[in-house]
Amino acid sequence: MDFRFDSADERFRDEVRTWLAENLTGEFAQLIDKGGPGREHELIPERQAWERRLGEAGWIGLGWPQEAGGRGLSWTRQVIFAEEYARAGAPGRVGHIGEQLLGPTLLMSGTAEQRRRFLPGILAGTELWCQGYSEPDAGSDLAAVRTRAELRDGEWHVTGQKVWTSLAQFADWCFVLARTDPAAERHRGLSYLLVPMNRPGVEVRPITQLTGTSEFNEVYFDDARTAAGNIVGAPGEGWKVAMGTLAVERGVSTFGQQMGFQREYDAVLSTARDNGAIEDPDIAARLVDAWIGLRVMRYTALRTLGAAPGAVPGAESNIAKLLWAPWHQRLGELAVDVAGPAATLGGRGDELSDAQRLFLFTRADTIYGGSSEIQRNVIAERMLGLPRG
Ligand SMILES: Cc1cc2nc3c(=O)[nH]c(=O)nc-3n(C[C@H](O)[C@H](O)[C@H](O)COP(=O)(O)OP(=O)(O)OC[C@H]3O[C@@H](n4cnc5c(N)ncnc54)[C@H](O)[C@@H]3O)c2cc1C
């Protein structure tokens, strides 16, 4: 298999690099290495402005079809953009939930009217979204969702509680999995609703995390309303639509994520060289292991992409998650071990060192986006054909 990019793709890489170098300047220079998992609280208005700058320049929705306002670029070019974006240390996106989850869902399952209404705001970086799936008693077992919605007087009335809703405090809209037919079998009674956040009946309560900051929230809906047409798929088809969203959750973004991991790894390595920790044979061996792990992830991702270019990732995305989440947790542990006693000092939130933040936030990696146990179940049952339970 040839892992190289052709010369036209390399010219595209130059274009991306140049644009990022020219635009991560002035007011946006402060955004370098800000935002993203564990740092979502940082510089929100500035990152919202950056989102709009990306939108103006046509860097959002690169793979979406042109008739939907995207650029219809190949997966190779999307990978290149994701890699260069991360290599430049460009900020964690505040619009990624709309771009990577809701947009593709509307492209697959939305009506023409819904695409006309919602895609332009995502592409322009002006409307932000959050994902309202999990509830206090419905996480891995998502079909246990109890938030309910009823169609009355031309509107859906939504009541219930969501939890762990990332970036809800900044979102304009939420895609909500709600029970619309309590009598139906549990997977069949669910619907996928698009609910505005800045209306009466929606309350967002930030949750303080280990890091001392709040990236996710509790969201309470108390007779919150949304128009009758803001349902994706038919009533009762919400499970099918939601599973489509989860399937697109991990695709091209994997490559940008790996480039971000490389930057974190380089920082840990550099500290180990500076403070002499690298002389410790155990630390040196763990640094080598981490380097190998990064290569394994990259070649696995490239092989997946090469096997079915452009396809929606299936169980391969479960393998990728099972590789990166524990790897990233180990990197967090290595970061604090390399920092030594200094890693025990320091405060919370903005005062955390990079090593502390990496260590603390990566505890969540094996939980969100489907826990490692759930990834193993999916691989066992759907790929290997092993019996359930
Ligand atoms: C940082 C972060 C951001 C998140 N953002 C969002 C968001 O934006 N929107 C959203 O809807 N949700 C979000 N989540 C929620 C996330 O999807 C859930 O936490 C996850 O699905 C696990 O559900 P749970 O927390 O209810 O744990 P549970 O499902 O209660 O699981 C508890 C433990 O039991 C294990 N377990 C459960 N079922 C099985 C099984 N069948 N076999 C073996 N082991 C099992 C799990 O692996 C886990 O270890 C986020 C979570 C985190 C940590």
Side-chain angles (χ1 to χ4, degrees):
M1 184 181 291
D2 186 353
F3 286 138
R4 284 165 305 182
F5 296 101
D6 70 22
S7 58
D9 288 334
E10 290 303 341
R11 279 198 298 282
F12 176 75
R13 187 184 293 282
D14 287 341
E15 186 195 328
V16 176
R17 249 185 219 182
T18 306
W19 188 86
L20 287 166
E22 285 172 356
N23 284 273
L24 279 170
T25 54
E27 55 175 322
F28 293 128
Q30 61 176 326
L31 295 183
I32 291 177
D33 286 331
K34 298 291 187 209
R39 323 188 65 138
E40 291 295 10
H41 62 290
E42 293 174 331
L43 299 170
I44 289 289
E46 293 81 359
R47 281 163 59 214
Q48 285 171 325
W50 171 252
E51 195 73 23
R52 294 192 292 273
R53 171 71 65 92
L54 287 173
E56 281 157 17
W59 293 120
I60 302 179
L62 292 183
W64 295 9
Q66 287 174 344
E67 57 276 18
R71 286 174 60 179
L73 292 185
S74 66
W75 273 53
T76 313
R77 302 242 166 137
Q78 295 172 61
V79 166
I80 289 173
F81 180 78
E83 286 190 342
E84 290 306 319
Y85 190 90
R87 196 197 309 271
R93 299 275 310 279
V94 285
H96 65 291
I97 298 177
E99 186 194 23
Q100 291 173 16
L101 300 183
L102 195 264
T105 302
L106 291 183
L107 289 169
M108 279 194 293
S109 314
T111 61
E113 175 52 30
Q114 286 166 348
R115 290 198 275 269
R116 248 194 318 275
R117 164 62 188 89
F118 293 113
L119 297 185
I122 297 173
L123 289 166
T126 50
E127 272 186 341
L128 303 181
W129 286 82
C130 62
Q131 178 183 28
Y133 283 10
S134 304
E135 296 184 3
D137 292 317
S140 305
D141 184 16
L142 190 55
V145 154
R146 284 200 297 204
T147 292
R148 58 183 196 280
E150 266 183 86
L151 190 57
R152 271 188 274 129
D153 309 323
E155 285 183 309
W156 290 102
H157 294 242
V158 184
T159 298
Q161 187 201 339
K162 295 292 172 181
V163 72
W164 320 125
T165 321
S166 299
L167 301 178
Q169 66 272 56
F170 313 115
D172 304 290
W173 287 83
C174 184
F175 45 97
V176 174
L177 198 56
R179 191 159 297 284
T180 47
D181 182 357
E185 184 268 327
R186 58 192 209 125
H187 291 84
R188 297 232 166 89
L190 299 169
S191 297
Y192 193 105
L193 300 174
L194 310 177
V195 181
M197 294 293 283
N198 306 316
R199 295 264 187 89
V202 182
E203 189 191 343
V204 177
R205 295 187 199 161
I207 299 172
T208 304
Q209 298 170 213
L210 263 184
T211 45
T213 57
S214 298
E215 126 169 21
F216 52 37
N217 306 267
E218 295 177 305
V219 179
Y220 292 85
F221 297 105
D222 181 9
D223 200 32
R225 294 172 197 199
T226 191
N230 286 340
I231 178 169
V232 186
E237 278 187 2
W239 182 257
K240 205 171 86 193
V241 177
M243 289 305 105
T245 310
L246 286 180
V248 294
E249 197 162 339
R250 301 236 64 76
V252 146
S253 56
T254 309
F255 292 89
Q257 182 194 42
Q258 287 174 11
M259 195 61 76
F261 289 168
Q262 180 73 54
R263 284 174 70 85
E264 288 172 344
Y265 173 83
D266 290 345
V268 175
L269 178 62
S270 157
T271 306
R273 287 197 171 122
D274 290 349
N275 72 4
I278 202 165
E279 302 304 328
D280 176 336
D282 174 57
I283 296 279
R286 288 163 67 193
L287 282 163
V288 171
D289 274 349
W291 187 91
I292 293 169
L294 256 179
R295 263 62 209 164
V296 169
M297 286 191 279
R298 178 165 172 77
Y299 292 130
T300 303
L302 282 167
R303 190 175 54 186
T304 305
L305 194 62
V312 171
E316 294 81 5
S317 62
N318 302 96
I319 296 175
K321 171 94 209 285
L322 202 48
L323 281 176
W324 75 254
W327 178 90
H328 202 213
Q329 273 187 350
R330 287 195 298 275
L331 186 70
E333 287 150 21
L334 182 55
V336 289
D337 286 344
V338 162
T344 59
L345 303 174
R348 288 160 72 74
D350 288 335
E351 296 163 30
L352 288 174
S353 69
D354 287 346
Q356 289 170 328
R357 188 178 295 107
L358 188 62
F359 172 73
L360 291 174
F361 190 81
T362 52
R363 302 307 93 195
D365 285 343
T366 48
I367 302 172
Y368 70 87
S371 70
S372 288
E373 290 78 9
I374 295 302
Q375 307 301 335
R376 287 193 189 93
N377 283 352
V378 172
I379 292 166
E381 289 164 18
R382 294 198 209 143
M383 290 184 83
L384 304 176
L386 297 177
R388 286 177 68 84

